Amino acid sequence: MSHMSQEKKTAGESAASVSKKTGRNMPQAVATGAVLVVIILACILIRIDAFAFLIAVFMVLGLWELRVDFATADLHIPVVELWICSCITLIASFYASDHVAVMSAGVLATSLVVTIASSFPHRLGGRLSRAVTAKQVAAGGPVQGIQTPEGLPGAGGRGNSFANVGVSLLTTVYIVLLACLIVLPTTFGGHPAAHAFMVIFLPALGDIGGLFFGSWFGRHKISPKISPAKSLEGLFGSMLCSLIGSLVIFACTYPMASWGSIWWVAVLMGLMVGITGIFGDLSASMIKRDLGIKDMGHLLKGHGGVLDRVDSILMSAPFVTLLLLATGL
């Protein structure tokens, strides 16, 4: 019994050590990641339409997270209008015969709608007010002035309309456009499942490689002011894992007879996603640093919010899509 207790204690200390190095609750992160992988795989392999609707669900959750995050800094985005326009845009572009044209029209229409909607006065509702308060407490105190739903600029006043329009348009590009580009590769090339794997799992593998290489070997920081945890060693690990994943996906998708002409696409894809994924993380970290928050949300145990999990996927999506289109794959 004593020996078993000692083993459990040692295992617990090891888990705590890994969690400390990575800055995450690793048991929770692994469990959450496993559940997400199962859900995504099921949607991709059973019916690709389900994958498109799953991305729409993640988009809705991500928009709510940004609504709360921006509200902590007295910034307003019209989340209901964004929910409606973004879901219509994503689903319509998936089913339309001219996917790119419908996506472009939807994003432009969304931009117009949110520009108008974000110019109107707004008021914090009870649920949003509680979410903002919880976010401020988690960040160590009030962030730029919003503490209660009454008597504050963001609670009932017009606020800075230009700033509201700016962050609403940023949200349209960051969430709506990039989410559509996650789904777009499944509509061409004849390999929807493989393309979905490239868009979703290559950045995820890059995150894993960057996390462990950075936590164990990281010495040379990329941008300490934005994200102290990001290092050149982590970037190398991200590129390595993405490259391996890319080679595996291509090997399982395309016949060996064609590898003489497409091998470089697999290599470029892996290296490119490893780089863009890191910069997706840095971009999200820049937003969080400007807002004074630690995580975008709290929906995913061990990962923070939905946007904390998909920031590298969002940033990589346009590059993966363009590469596949340019090479005809």
Side-chain angles (χ1 to χ4, degrees), residues 7-81:
E7 287 183 344
K8 289 182 179 179
K9 182 179 179 180
T10 302
E13 291 174 349
S14 299
S17 175
V18 172
S19 297
K20 183 177 180 180
K21 283 179 177 289
T22 58
R24 296 181 182 178
N25 184 325
M26 288 310 295
Q28 278 190 346
V30 170
T32 301
V35 172
L36 287 175
V37 167
V38 170
I39 294 173
I40 294 170
L41 281 175
C43 290
I44 293 174
L45 297 177
I46 293 174
R47 188 176 176 86
I48 202 66
D49 303 60
F51 174 71
F53 281 96
L54 179 66
I55 298 302
V57 171
F58 282 140
M59 183 171 57
V60 167
L61 296 175
L63 286 169
W64 171 254
E65 288 181 351
L66 271 185
R67 172 70 179 103
V68 176
D69 296 337
F70 284 135
T72 63
D74 197 11
L75 295 169
H76 165 70
I77 61 172
V79 71
V80 175
E81 290 85 349

Side-chain angles (χ1 to χ4, degrees), residues 67 73-78 114-124 146 151-168:
R67 172 70 179 103
D74 197 11
L75 295 169
H76 165 70
I77 61 172
V114 300
T115 296
I116 296 171
S118 59
S119 302
F120 292 132
H122 60 280
R123 182 175 297 276
L124 292 180
I146 298 183
L152 292 161
R158 186 175 182 83
N160 189 334
S161 294
F162 289 108
N164 291 338
V165 170
V167 296
S168 297

